[in-house]
Amino acid sequence: MTQYIYLVDDDEAIRLSLSALLATMGWETKAYDSVQSFQQGEGDLPSLSGCLLLDIRMPGKSGLALLESGLPEGFSLPVIMMTGHGNIDLCRRAFKNGAFEFLTKPVDADLLIETVSAALEQQRQQEQEREKFADLQAKLATLSAREQEVMALIMQGKSNKEMAKDLNLSPRTVEAHRASLFARLEINSLAKLINIYGGLQGPDGTT
């Protein structure tokens, strides 16, 4: 997925200068003159990848208002706030509502590049984690109901004999289910099962 830098600022000169600066790093910038044009232009905000450079005060809906109440559930872009009128209260409110960083104008070029680089890397790592989680969930979904039961009992620390008794099966059948679920989950040891999939289960072993 392509990462973009979404720049929202009502000052055209700032949009042009920052876009030109960011382009020197090979980054693609999408610039908007208001919060409303950003929201209308992008539509499905939770699907965006990259980071958001957001002016804190603009005509109409302010950047701070967007950060405090206007971002939809699932929105994951790191938000870098910018302002030419910074104060402690604005800074506090921005960080309280999840801002990645708070920069004052005129923005130092090196600091901006450093901050955007860190924000893009954070978002990249978050996307990788989401993809990994989705992949693990997809593998878990391939297990049969019996394999899920065996897995839950394995997570509880039960032996094959104990599982056989609980499930009213022969130890050999339990071992077959165990081998099958290991193959479906693409693991080869109990340690990997617990380490990789243990966190995806509830206290009772359900996924």
Side-chain angles (χ1 to χ4, degrees), residues 143-161:
L143 300 182
S144 68
R146 181 64 82 188
E147 287 166 350
Q148 290 177 15
E149 290 178 329
V150 170
M151 179 174 173
L153 293 175
I154 291 174
M155 291 296 187
Q156 294 173 27
K158 295 201 173 185
S159 66
N160 285 356
K161 284 187 176 181

Side-chain angles (χ1 to χ4, degrees), residues 103-150:
L103 304 177
T104 55
K105 297 176 181 178
V107 179
D108 178 79
D110 290 338
L111 178 59
L112 178 64
I113 290 172
E114 178 183 326
T115 303
V116 169
S117 294
L120 293 176
E121 180 58 28
Q122 174 181 286
Q123 225 261 337
R124 189 177 296 112
Q125 290 177 0
Q126 289 177 342
E127 288 180 350
Q128 289 175 347
E129 286 299 314
R130 284 193 293 271
E131 291 172 0
K132 178 181 177 181
F133 180 79
D135 180 59
L136 295 180
Q137 291 285 12
K139 289 177 182 177
L140 284 172
T142 67
L143 300 182
S144 68
R146 181 64 82 188
E147 287 166 350
Q148 290 177 15
E149 290 178 329
V150 170

Side-chain angles (χ1 to χ4, degrees), residues 145-154 158-171 173-175 177-178 181:
R146 181 64 82 188
E147 287 166 350
Q148 290 177 15
E149 290 178 329
V150 170
M151 179 174 173
L153 293 175
I154 291 174
K158 295 201 173 185
S159 66
N160 285 356
K161 284 187 176 181
E162 290 171 324
M163 288 188 282
K165 182 178 180 181
D166 288 347
L167 299 174
N168 196 28
L169 299 171
S170 71
T173 300
V174 167
E175 182 57 40
H177 285 307
R178 178 178 172 134
L181 75 88

Side-chain angles (χ1 to χ4, degrees), residues 1 32 38 59 66 68-69 86 93 109 120 128 151 169 177 191 202:
M1 181 182 294
Y32 301 89
F38 166 63
L66 174 65
E68 289 183 328
S69 61
R93 289 170 62 187
L120 293 176
Q128 289 175 347
M151 179 174 173
L169 299 171
H177 285 307

